[in-house]
């Protein structure tokens, strides 16, 4: 990292965006671990139970993504992020109340997951557009990397302390901490002045259709998003469902799983630092090749390998994810018109995540019927197919570098 990469933090709007994103990810990295092991501790709970909760969260995230993209382009980008934070905080707070009153059941936690999914989904597609709004093109690579760096450091902190928090203050206290973090993030973004949006005057669905045209007219976006659909379905099943079950049985439970997840976050910090300075002629080629580390990390859990080996593969996977992610965000911000960027980003998020609920459900059912190890092996193989497939398309391999 060079000092020049940090000058963007002097912009108050970027600094507030950076802080909000960091707080959101800190809370979001604690909550899934706490919820996962809370569900697994309920009487009669198993992989299917956890899959139900995770599927509710992800399903409503996918639904909210498209709403968030249109709201951000026609109403307010900062307002959309704030609204999402308040809704997610409500869902997390309700889970805290359930545990504090000893009324928690799998179905009530799943219903709370609806609000968590809706709230988090609203904000997903907006940050890419906000960075394009407030950051000059020559500073966007640094800005994208810094956003990811803050997010990743929060991921380390959140994943690293999640198990300890659950052990020390219980599930209720942990969820109330997460609630306060989301509320702080939402309040921080509230009223942030960005460039004025230019409402088209068209209906919600016409704006959605126009966004689809912008998305579908760029083959490289379509190819990568379709591939990401498969990758994220596999990663969701592996990390949200089968991974915690394996960790509970063979890798030391919540603390062991926290170490693995935190290791992935450490990798993303390193990846963001590398991506901040790296220069490459074909960013998506390098990014997809690097992403081979993801299926390797999934496969490491199938036996599973020793805890330290699993953690090391997640470090490499984290590095790869951020090298790809910074290149991807920069390509979208450069190639897509600003007034359609939030909607195109929404289609990106929607397409990438649409199969995640299916992946989670199938992984839970497969683990119950065929075993955790076999399920992990197949998830790794399918993820590898998704990583390598885009390299067969010229629109991906010939995409210009971030520097022209």
């Amino acid at each position: 990292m060079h000092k020049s990469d940090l000058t963007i933090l002097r912009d108050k709007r970027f600094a507030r965006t950076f802080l909000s994103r960091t707080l959101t990810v800190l809370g979001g990295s604690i909550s899934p671990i706490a919820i996962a092991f809370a569900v697994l501790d309920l009487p009669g709970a198993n992989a299917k139970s956890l899959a139900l909760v995770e599927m509710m969260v992800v399903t409503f995230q996918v639904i909210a993504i498209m709403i968030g993209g249109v709201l951000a382009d026609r109403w307010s980008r900062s307002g959309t992020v704030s609204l999402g934070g308040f809704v997610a905080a409500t869902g997390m707070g309700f889970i805290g109340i359930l545990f504090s009153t000893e009324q928690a059941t799998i179905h009530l936690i799943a219903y709370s997951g609806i609000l968590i999914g809706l709230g988090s989904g609203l904000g997903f597609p907006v940050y890419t557009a906000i960075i394009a709004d407030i950051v000059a093109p020559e500073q966007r690579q640094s800005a994208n990397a810094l956003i990811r760096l803050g997010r990743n450091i929060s991921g380390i902190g959140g994943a690293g302390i999640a198990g300890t928090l659950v052990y020390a203050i219980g599930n209720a206290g942990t969820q109330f901490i997460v609630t306060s973090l989301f509320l702080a993030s939402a309040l921080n973004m509230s009223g942030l002045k960005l460039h004025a949006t230019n409402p088209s005057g068209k209906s919600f669905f016409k704006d959605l259709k126009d966004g689809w045209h912008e998305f579908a007219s760029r083959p490289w976006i379509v190819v990568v998003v379709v591939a990401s659909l498969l990758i994220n379905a596999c990663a969701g099943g592996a990390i949200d469902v089968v991974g915690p079950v394996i960790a509970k049985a063979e890798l030391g439970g919540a603390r062991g799983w926290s170490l693995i997840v935190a290791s992935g976050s450490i990798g993303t910090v390193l990846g963001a630092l590398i991506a901040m300075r790296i220069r490459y002629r074909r960013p998506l080629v390098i990014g997809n090749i690097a992403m081979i580390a993801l299926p390797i990390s999934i496969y490491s859990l199938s036996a599973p390998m020793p805890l330290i080996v699993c953690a090391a593969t997640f470090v490499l996977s984290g590095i790869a994810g951020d090298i790809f992610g910074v290149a991807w965000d920069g390509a979208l911000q450069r190639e897509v018109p600003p007034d359609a960027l939030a909607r195109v980003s929404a289609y990106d998020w929607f397409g990438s995540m649409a199969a995640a609920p299916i992946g989670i459900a199938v992984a839970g059912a497969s683990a119950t019927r065929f075993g955790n190890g076999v399920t992990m092996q197949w998830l790794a193989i399918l993820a590898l197919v998704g990583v390598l497939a885009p390299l067969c398309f010229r629109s991906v391999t010939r995409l210009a570098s971030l520097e022209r």
Side-chain angles (χ1 to χ4, degrees):
M1 180 189 297
H2 193 273
K3 288 184 178 179
S4 60
D5 294 316
L6 301 177
T7 58
I8 187 63
L9 287 170
R10 297 174 185 172
D11 185 318
K12 292 182 179 180
R13 296 178 302 171
F14 178 79
R16 286 177 64 178
T17 302
F18 176 86
L19 176 61
S20 284
R21 186 62 170 151
T22 300
L23 289 173
T24 298
V25 174
L26 178 60
S29 62
I30 296 171
S31 184
I33 296 174
I35 291 175
F37 287 94
V39 169
L40 293 173
D41 283 340
L42 292 174
N46 55 24
K48 281 188 176 181
S49 308
L50 182 56
L52 172 64
V53 174
E54 295 292 347
M55 187 170 63
M56 292 294 280
V57 173
V58 176
T59 297
F60 283 90
Q61 278 179 340
V62 171
I63 292 171
I65 282 169
M66 301 310 304
I67 299 172
V70 176
L71 282 178
D73 277 343
R74 63 186 284 149
W75 172 49
S76 167
R77 287 173 177 172
S78 60
T80 301
V81 172
S82 291
L83 176 62
F86 288 127
V87 173
T90 301
M92 292 174 182
F94 186 64
I95 292 178
I97 293 171
L98 289 175
F99 282 115
S100 64
T101 58
E102 299 184 351
Q103 299 298 314
T105 66
I106 292 170
H107 287 92
L108 287 176
I109 295 173
Y111 294 145
S112 301
I114 294 174
L115 292 176
I116 296 172
L118 287 173
S120 57
L122 284 175
F124 275 172
V126 185
Y127 282 99
T128 300
I130 290 176
I131 297 303
D133 272 351
I134 64 179
V135 178
E138 63 272 13
Q139 291 184 297
R140 284 179 189 163
Q141 184 170 346
S142 294
N144 288 328
L146 279 172
I147 288 288
R148 286 178 174 269
L149 184 62
R151 184 194 72 180
N152 299 337
I153 291 174
S154 294
I156 294 173
I161 67 174
T164 302
L165 282 174
V166 172
Y167 178 79
I169 63 175
N171 289 305
T174 301
Q175 290 303 317
F176 287 139
I177 288 176
V178 173
T179 300
S180 66
L181 291 170
F182 268 78
L183 286 174
S185 174
L187 289 170
N188 179 61
M189 285 298 284
S190 181
L192 179 64
K193 293 183 179 180
L194 304 174
H195 296 312
T197 54
N198 296 308
S200 64
K202 302 174 183 177
S203 69
F204 178 94
F205 292 103
K206 185 64 170 67
D207 276 343
L208 205 57
K209 181 179 178 181
D210 291 344
W212 170 257
H213 173 75
E214 294 287 351
F215 171 86
S217 64
R218 293 167 174 82
W220 60 274
I221 297 181
V222 176
V223 168
V224 173
V225 168
V226 170
S228 297
L229 185 149
L230 176 60
I231 295 168
N232 289 337
C234 295
I239 297 171
D240 291 339
V241 179
V242 188
V245 175
I246 291 174
K248 183 176 177 64
E250 303 183 59
L251 293 173
R255 290 188 176 182
W257 187 242
S258 292
L259 173 63
I260 290 173
V261 175
S263 296
S265 297
I266 290 172
T268 61
V269 169
L270 297 175
L273 291 171
I274 293 170
M276 196 177 295
R277 306 305 300 170
I278 196 171
R279 298 293 181 265
Y280 25 47
R281 293 181 59 190
R282 295 290 182 264
L284 297 186
V285 172
I286 298 300
N288 275 277
I289 291 174
M291 282 296 292
I292 293 173
L294 173 64
I296 293 174
S297 69
I298 294 174
Y299 185 80
S300 74
L301 295 169
S302 62
M305 296 180 183
L307 179 60
I308 190 65
V309 176
C310 293
T313 64
F314 270 71
V315 171
L316 295 176
S317 180
I319 292 173
D322 264 44
I323 289 175
F324 176 84
V326 170
W328 178 249
D329 288 342
L332 289 177
Q333 290 160 349
R334 186 183 68 247
E335 301 291 340
V336 178
D339 61 353
L341 184 53
R343 281 169 290 167
V344 171
S345 183
Y347 277 110
D348 168 23
W349 278 98
F350 180 86
S352 298
M353 295 182 62
I358 299 174
I360 289 170
V362 171
S366 175
T368 301
R369 181 169 182 178
F370 301 109
N372 299 322
V374 172
T375 299
M376 277 296 201
Q377 290 171 4
W378 276 104
L379 291 173
I381 292 170
L382 292 173
L384 181 62
V385 171
V387 167
L388 295 179
L391 298 177
C392 300
F393 294 83
R394 291 185 178 182
S395 61
V396 173
T397 59
R398 292 187 177 182
L399 186 72
S401 69
L402 298 179
E403 288 190 339
R404 290 182 172 179

